[in-house]
Amino acid sequence: LSSRRCLLADEMGLGKTVQALAFLSSTGSLPALVIPPAHLTRNWQEETLRFLRVDGKAPRVHTIRGLKPYDLPEADVYIMHYLLLRGWKSVPTLPFRSVIFDEIQELRHAGTEKYSAASLLSESCERVIGLSGTPIYNRGGEIWNVINILDYHFLGDWESFSREWCSGYGNQLVLKPDLLGAYLRRGG
């Protein structure tokens, strides 16, 4: 992972979590916020303590709980699942240099409070990483929402994207997914 904003799309079990933690370690992009689905919160706590070192020691990890913002304790890595994002949206300055969106396909639908909060958070961080084994669920056009969280308008605005890559203005059916995949792998 050499980019400041990227999508790591790989099959389950191939080490996306460890690669993301190695990225944080090698870039020193702490404090970081990890946003996984709720059922993966404990896994991220365990893997962070197992694989990440800060100045030769285990990192300080804090799991954010509840929809109501509170003063965060000092930590190297904060973990907050997607369902809490909307509650923390109004906090103007969160102390994160990096954000990791695990299972970023959770953000495939624009127009939700969760998507809006993720967009604001992404905008405020130096480094943004999305992890997914399935970045596209139903319609290929969903990838625009996912990539837009990572790197705003990397694929242009929605109208331009749908005209260029899909079967017409506003349509989500990608006409040539292989070409779009190659374009994304090259980095644009």
Side-chain angles (χ1 to χ4, degrees):
L1 298 172
S2 60
S3 175
R4 289 180 173 272
R5 296 176 175 270
C6 62
L7 172 64
L8 177 56
D10 221 340
E11 292 180 37
M12 190 172 96
L14 294 180
K16 293 182 294 291
T17 302
V18 174
Q19 288 181 65
L21 292 169
F23 176 80
L24 292 178
S25 178
S26 68
T27 60
S29 301
L30 301 171
L33 174 63
V34 175
I35 302 177
H39 71 280
L40 293 177
T41 301
R42 175 165 287 173
N43 181 66
W44 270 96
Q45 293 168 333
E46 292 168 359
E47 297 293 290
T48 299
L49 292 170
R50 182 175 174 198
F51 291 107
L52 184 64
R53 290 292 169 264
V54 178
D55 298 326
K57 300 177 200 164
R60 299 168 296 167
V61 177
H62 175 74
T63 300
I64 297 172
R65 303 199 187 280
L67 285 169
K68 186 175 179 185
Y70 56 88
D71 290 336
L72 295 174
E74 273 194 42
D76 301 303
V77 176
Y78 298 84
I79 301 170
M80 172 174 48
H81 62 76
Y82 282 104
L83 299 175
L84 300 182
L85 266 177
R86 64 186 170 87
W88 288 77
K89 178 181 175 182
S90 63
V91 178
T93 54
L94 293 173
F96 313 122
R97 292 183 59 203
S98 303
V99 61
I100 297 170
F101 293 103
D102 190 13
E103 302 296 344
I104 194 169
Q105 72 275 5
E106 290 278 326
L107 301 173
R108 68 188 179 276
H109 302 293
T112 65
E113 283 292 315
K114 178 171 62 172
Y115 187 91
S116 175
S119 182
L120 290 171
L121 182 60
S122 175
E123 186 180 298
S124 71
C125 289
E126 297 169 28
R127 299 176 190 275
V128 183
I129 300 172
L131 308 177
S132 180
T134 52
I136 301 172
Y137 258 35
N138 298 314
R139 296 176 211 95
E142 293 173 344
I143 195 67
W144 184 87
N145 292 327
V146 169
I147 298 297
N148 210 48
I149 287 290
L150 296 172
D151 198 349
Y152 184 71
H153 280 190
F154 175 81
L155 291 172
D157 61 24
W158 169 245
E159 289 78 19
S160 300
F161 173 81
S162 62
R163 270 194 316 268
E164 183 172 346
W165 294 102
C166 300
S167 58
Y169 174 79
N171 193 308
Q172 290 209 19
L173 179 65
V174 173
L175 291 176
K176 297 181 180 175
D178 293 344
L179 286 177
L180 179 57
Y183 179 81
L184 291 170
R185 280 189 291 281
R186 281 194 324 266

